[in-house]
Amino acid sequence: MTSSTTRRALLGATAASAVLAAAGAAGAGTAAAGTARAGQPAGPDIGVLLYDGFSLLDPTGPAEVLSRLPGARVTMIAERRGPVRTDTGDVALLAERSIHEVDRLDVLLVPGAGNRGTVAAMGNRALLGWIRRIHRHSRWTTSVCTGSLVLAAAGLLDGREATTYWASADYLQSEFDVTYRPERYVRSGRIVTAAGVSAGIDMALYLASLIAGDTVAKGVQLAVEYDPRPPFDAGDAADADAALKELALRLLAESQV
């Protein structure tokens, strides 16, 4: 490989150009990727809310997908700028903006967390108030895993259908005016909720199709090579026995700080 070899050449200039061309061919309506806004680059302005104790894949899986949309800008946002640690305490993501610096987004994504993080976020008036303000003008407001509990605490899921982490389903329905649906993702108006952790990737691809059309969404799926074939058929709580559910929850609890 010579020094003149570029990353574009390595990945294939023709394929990359095809994805960008497909974006230009996407219909009007909901296919808004590439649309310039005053003072903003073309494409959707996507904000991912971080808060202490979030689960790592909840924001990063969707961010990987959505950041590949033509012209998209993905920003990590928290109550304060700086590193925000996950539920295990082993990893931190950097929040580049504080909630006080952001008042408009095309897409808001609220990730889930362990019990400690979720409960704290549900009781954080500053975060809930900011979520409500952003939702007033967002094109799409989304959540992953127990992030739907945070949306519910903000009053955004009243009277709606939604999904969440399987172990939180009863709580979502009993504590809020929400109808739980055991799906990978659920759309209710301009709110899209995803089930636990990895389901955020599925939700993000669906959201990509709403924003930029099916062709671009398929291109993004291939670009990130999302073709899951797990070695075990154990990811659906509806098919799991009580012992496996107990083990799953114990593994989560023991890995969190």
Side-chain angles (χ1 to χ4, degrees), residues 49-166:
L49 178 64
L50 300 179
Y51 55 91
D52 184 50
F54 70 90
S55 297
L56 181 59
L57 191 60
D58 286 18
T60 56
E64 174 65 38
V65 170
L66 298 174
S67 66
R68 307 301 176 177
L69 293 178
R73 182 176 67 177
V74 177
T75 305
M76 298 293 174
I77 304 165
E79 195 166 5
R80 289 171 293 277
R81 287 190 181 199
V84 184
R85 292 213 164 264
T86 64
D87 54 352
T88 66
D90 296 325
V91 180
L93 293 184
L94 181 66
E96 296 179 296
R97 295 287 184 271
S98 76
I99 59 175
H100 308 291
E101 298 173 289
V102 179
D103 58 7
R104 293 289 181 98
L105 291 168
D106 295 318
V107 178
L108 169 63
L109 186 141
V110 179
N115 286 338
R116 175 180 61 82
T118 301
V119 170
M122 291 173 65
N124 187 321
R125 293 185 179 182
L127 286 186
L128 299 184
W130 180 78
I131 290 170
R132 286 191 289 266
R133 290 193 298 275
I134 293 297
H135 176 65
R136 292 191 191 112
H137 304 286
S138 67
R139 290 175 56 204
W140 301 103
T141 297
T142 70
S143 67
V144 180
C145 197
T146 57
S148 59
L149 298 180
V150 180
L151 293 186
L156 302 189
L157 297 185
D158 290 351
R160 296 182 181 274
E161 294 184 335
T163 190
T164 190
Y165 187 61
W166 59 267

Side-chain angles (χ1 to χ4, degrees), residues 203-218:
M203 184 273 290
L205 285 168
Y206 172 66
L207 187 62
S209 73
L210 296 176
I211 294 171
D214 289 356
T215 300
V216 171
K218 290 177 181 178

Side-chain angles (χ1 to χ4, degrees), residues 37-51:
R37 298 190 302 131
Q40 299 288 348
D45 193 1
I46 301 164
V48 180
L49 178 64
L50 300 179
Y51 55 91

